[in-house]
Amino acid sequence: MPLELAKEKITLKQQKGEQTSQVLLEGDVIIPDSKPDVKEVLYSQGRVRLDEVKTGEEKITFSGELSLWILYRPAEGERPVYAVTSSLPLQDLLHMEGVHKEDAVEVTAKLEHLECDMINDRKIGVRAVVRITAQSQSQTEMEVLKDVSGEGVQLYREKIKADLPVTEKKDRFVVKDEWVLPEDKPEIGEILMEHVDVVQEEIRPLEGKISVRGVLPVTVVYSGAGDGMPQGMEKAIPFAGFVETPLASADRDAQVQLSLLDWEIRPQVNEDGESRILSVSATVGADVTLTEEKEEEWVTDAYVPGKEMTLHTEKIILPQSVGRSENEFVQKETIRLEEGEAPMLQAVAVWGDVHLGDVTAQEDVLEAEGTLDVEILYDCIQDEEPVCVLHRTFPFHRSVEMKGVLPEDQIRGRASLREIDFRLASEGEGELRAQIALELQAQRMVERNTVTQMKAEEPAEAQCRPGAVIYTVQPGDSLWTIAKGYHTTVEQILAVNEIEHPQTIYPGQKLLILRACPM
């Protein structure tokens, strides 16, 4: 009777490769005729946006732009601070061995370095370094062996645990809010600087959809109507929504990567005709990956006593979730002015960015390192330089317990700045308080053999000599390997040797083996 194989199809998504590259962008920003001459560049910030990514054979092309905000002190002017915006085109090619047109590729761009220096009083030179990271993934379907039926067939079943992909989806949320200035703030003359981020708060899979909650921390600096002195406004704008997908359910795991795709902040007038409203509109992207944890028994070895067995096996790499940690911590720093920095009268606005660096795994512990970049715009004591911007970078290190994690596990992490505050203690010192959210996830890639085909044949007559043998158990032996090697069964070895528990055999133990057809 031929063997009948019962198989099941599974989908595996595996990372094929990762490639990084740095792109140097250089250009000039010309001050518009409506703006006064530049005396000094106070602050610059940039945001990278990728508009198009194309995958080809062994290469990835991408294009986008670097948007720029620059604050400067004028040589002469009605206001102490002016702002100019501009952009630089971003377009390049990344070579990646093994990538093909049909592969799924994720490309991210991060601004690593930005210099904006005064060339002359009407021109600012820009030099930026953008790091491009590309990850390619392939999705394949393969069959695993669940059962085999046939006379005398012996099966070795192994419990397999894996996080298998269910579906992926890209969606977006539009967040809108109106922001009324408090009465003690002057009207809006001109928006000088905007800093917007997105922070993930809760992801919850439900039946047919995934609930997403987050917040947009927004900082706006504007020049007040009248004296033109800069004013700061901060607000955390909450948002919530659903990503509809029929395969979602409460017992499946949803991973959502939120990104800020675009935003616009415009001043609006109120009923009295005064410019005292900030209208905020932002588009948040949501990249959703839905996975399901499966624990099943697969047939990973087989034989038929007394017959020659031909097995075809294939190695597969299975992802297993080790753990996930979401925690927050408060970083406090004392900021003191250095020599040459103007004394502080009052802080106008504070904003910052968190950069997660190396995350390494030890046994049961994750070690995360990163930096907190802080910008403080403040009114100065001296009249000749009424406004200044202070920049500081602070490192941080966190040890996060995660039971079961090992050094060889793959770690993914994300850090975000939830709140930041600066309190002035004196003209040369202040206290900074930042609330940082840290999300870490560990995954283990496990290699397993799966049987794809098998065939049992009658052995040559000269090779088939049933008999008995006394076998001495060796280190690393199991009843399965012994039974398979002597073409008998585990049950027969247990019965002949009166063994109650299969796990109790030990090196040096003597076993009587009744072999059906020795090798």
Side-chain angles (χ1 to χ4, degrees):
M1 176 182 175
L3 300 178
E4 293 184 3
L5 280 58
K7 298 181 178 181
E8 178 185 22
K9 285 186 177 181
I10 65 168
T11 301
L12 293 177
K13 186 176 180 181
Q14 297 181 344
Q15 183 170 319
K16 295 180 63 176
E18 179 174 321
Q19 187 73 27
T20 61
S21 177
Q22 288 183 322
V23 180
L24 175 64
L25 301 179
E26 294 180 302
D28 296 333
V29 176
I30 307 300
I31 305 301
D33 293 339
S34 59
K35 303 277 186 178
D37 292 347
V38 179
K39 179 181 180 181
E40 178 187 358
V41 175
L42 292 177
Y43 168 74
S44 60
Q45 76 172 23
R47 183 173 71 94
V48 184
R49 186 184 74 238
L50 292 178
D51 296 322
E52 186 177 41
V53 176
K54 290 184 177 180
T55 306
E57 294 300 319
E58 306 280 329
K59 66 181 181 181
I60 299 169
T61 58
F62 54 89
S63 61
E65 70 172 17
L66 170 64
S67 300
L68 297 165
W69 284 82
I70 301 174
L71 298 184
Y72 71 91
R73 181 178 291 120
E76 293 180 358
E78 299 177 352
R79 305 198 305 263
V81 178
Y82 284 81
V84 62
T85 60
S86 186
S87 63
L88 296 178
L90 170 64
Q91 186 171 352
D92 210 334
L93 173 70
L94 186 66
H95 292 281
M96 178 177 285
E97 185 177 351
V99 71
H100 303 291
K101 291 181 180 180
E102 63 273 11
D103 291 339
V105 175
E106 179 182 352
V107 180
T108 58
K110 178 183 178 183
L111 182 62
E112 286 197 329
H113 180 72
L114 177 63
E115 292 180 14
C116 294
D117 298 319
M118 178 179 167
I119 297 177
N120 56 49
D121 56 11
R122 304 301 298 175
K123 184 187 292 186
I124 296 173
V126 179
R127 183 182 176 90
V129 177
V130 177
R131 176 174 288 274
I132 303 294
T133 302
Q135 293 180 330
S136 64
Q137 292 182 326
S138 63
Q139 185 165 298
T140 58
E141 279 194 352
M142 64 181 307
E143 294 181 326
V144 296
L145 192 58
K146 297 284 291 182
D147 200 7
V148 181
S149 58
E151 185 177 354
V153 64
Q154 303 295 303
L155 303 178
Y156 185 81
R157 303 178 188 272
E158 189 174 356
K159 283 189 176 181
I160 305 293
K161 182 180 178 182
D163 295 312
L164 300 180
V166 176
T167 188
E168 293 182 346
K169 185 175 182 180
K170 292 182 180 292
D171 209 338
R172 57 181 57 194
F173 303 98
V174 176
V175 183
K176 294 186 177 182
D177 189 66
E178 283 196 346
W179 197 351
V180 180
L181 301 185
E183 293 183 359
D184 60 344
K185 292 282 188 180
E187 287 186 55
I188 302 168
E190 178 189 12
I191 293 179
L192 299 175
M193 194 280 304
E194 305 166 358
H195 187 273
V196 185
D197 202 356
V198 58
V199 178
Q200 181 175 297
E201 289 203 322
E202 183 188 56
I203 304 297
R204 190 156 53 98
L206 304 170
E207 292 299 324
K209 57 187 177 182
I210 299 169
S211 172
V212 178
R213 288 199 306 111
V215 65
L216 297 179
V218 180
T219 300
V220 177
V221 177
Y222 71 92
S223 60
D227 60 5
M229 290 298 292
Q231 306 290 323
M233 293 288 292
E234 297 93 17
K235 185 178 183 181
I237 302 174
F239 67 91
F242 297 98
V243 177
E244 304 287 343
T245 172
L247 298 177
S249 61
D251 58 347
R252 286 175 168 167
D253 182 55
Q255 299 177 30
V256 179
Q257 179 73 37
L258 297 180
S259 59
L260 190 61
L261 301 179
D262 200 8
W263 78 80
E264 183 181 26
I265 300 177
R266 294 184 302 168
Q268 302 280 353
V269 296
N270 59 16
E271 295 178 351
D272 298 327
E274 297 177 332
S275 181
R276 302 190 61 82
I277 299 174
L278 288 170
S279 174
V280 181
S281 178
T283 303
V284 178
D287 291 350
V288 178
T289 301
L290 197 65
T291 61
E292 183 176 30
E293 183 181 86
K294 285 193 174 183
E295 186 170 0
E296 299 178 345
E297 284 191 343
W298 295 354
V299 175
T300 57
D301 199 3
Y303 68 94
V304 178
K307 294 187 178 182
E308 290 185 354
M309 178 71 77
T310 302
L311 291 180
H312 295 279
T313 63
E314 184 177 346
K315 288 184 178 180
I316 59 174
I317 306 296
L318 297 171
Q320 293 181 355
S321 177
V322 177
R324 180 183 295 176
S325 172
E326 296 179 3
N327 62 83
E328 296 183 5
F329 64 94
V330 174
Q331 177 136 347
K332 296 181 179 180
E333 301 286 350
T334 299
I335 295 180
R336 297 182 178 87
L337 294 181
E338 299 176 355
E339 185 177 352
E341 294 178 332
M344 296 181 284
L345 179 62
Q346 67 175 355
V348 175
V350 57
W351 62 95
D353 294 289
V354 180
H355 305 282
L356 185 61
D358 293 333
V359 181
T360 57
Q362 307 295 328
E363 189 172 345
D364 294 331
V365 177
L366 297 177
E367 303 290 347
E369 295 181 347
T371 56
L372 169 64
D373 289 339
V374 179
E375 313 288 342
I376 301 172
L377 189 146
Y378 64 95
D379 294 335
C380 307
I381 290 180
Q382 61 260 39
D383 294 335
E384 61 271 17
E385 293 183 356
V387 178
C388 297
V389 178
L390 193 66
H391 172 79
R392 291 290 188 271
T393 297
F394 300 102
F396 66 83
H397 176 271
R398 298 293 294 179
S399 295
V400 179
E401 292 185 6
M402 183 174 288
K403 188 175 181 181
V405 71
L406 298 174
E408 61 268 21
D409 292 337
Q410 296 180 358
I411 312 299
R412 290 183 297 177
R414 178 172 53 197
S416 54
L417 183 60
R418 288 190 176 273
E419 295 179 6
I420 188 168
D421 183 58
F422 178 73
R423 301 295 175 90
L424 199 63
S426 67
E427 64 180 30
E429 184 176 306
E431 298 297 325
L432 179 78
R433 183 184 185 276
Q435 185 176 351
I436 299 173
L438 187 61
E439 180 183 342
L440 301 174
Q441 184 175 359
Q443 190 178 64
R444 184 169 301 149
M445 307 308 292
V446 180
E447 185 178 282
R448 288 287 185 269
N449 283 329
T450 179
V451 178
T452 56
Q453 292 291 338
M454 64 174 61
K455 185 178 181 181
E457 297 178 325
E458 296 292 341
E461 195 170 315
Q463 294 178 320
C464 192
R465 299 189 301 272
V469 66
I470 301 296
Y471 178 76
T472 303
V473 178
Q474 302 298 312
D477 278 346
S478 67
L479 286 177
W480 171 264
T481 58
I482 296 171
K484 182 181 178 182
Y486 284 95
H487 277 235
T488 183
T489 66
V490 172
E491 291 75 17
Q492 188 178 55
I493 295 177
L494 292 174
V496 170
N497 294 274
E498 299 181 347
I499 299 174
E500 293 185 7
H501 303 291
Q503 293 80 11
T504 58
I505 66 169
Y506 53 87
Q509 183 180 5
K510 305 293 185 181
L511 297 177
L512 174 60
I513 308 294
L514 302 180
R515 59 192 182 187
C517 191
M519 302 297 292

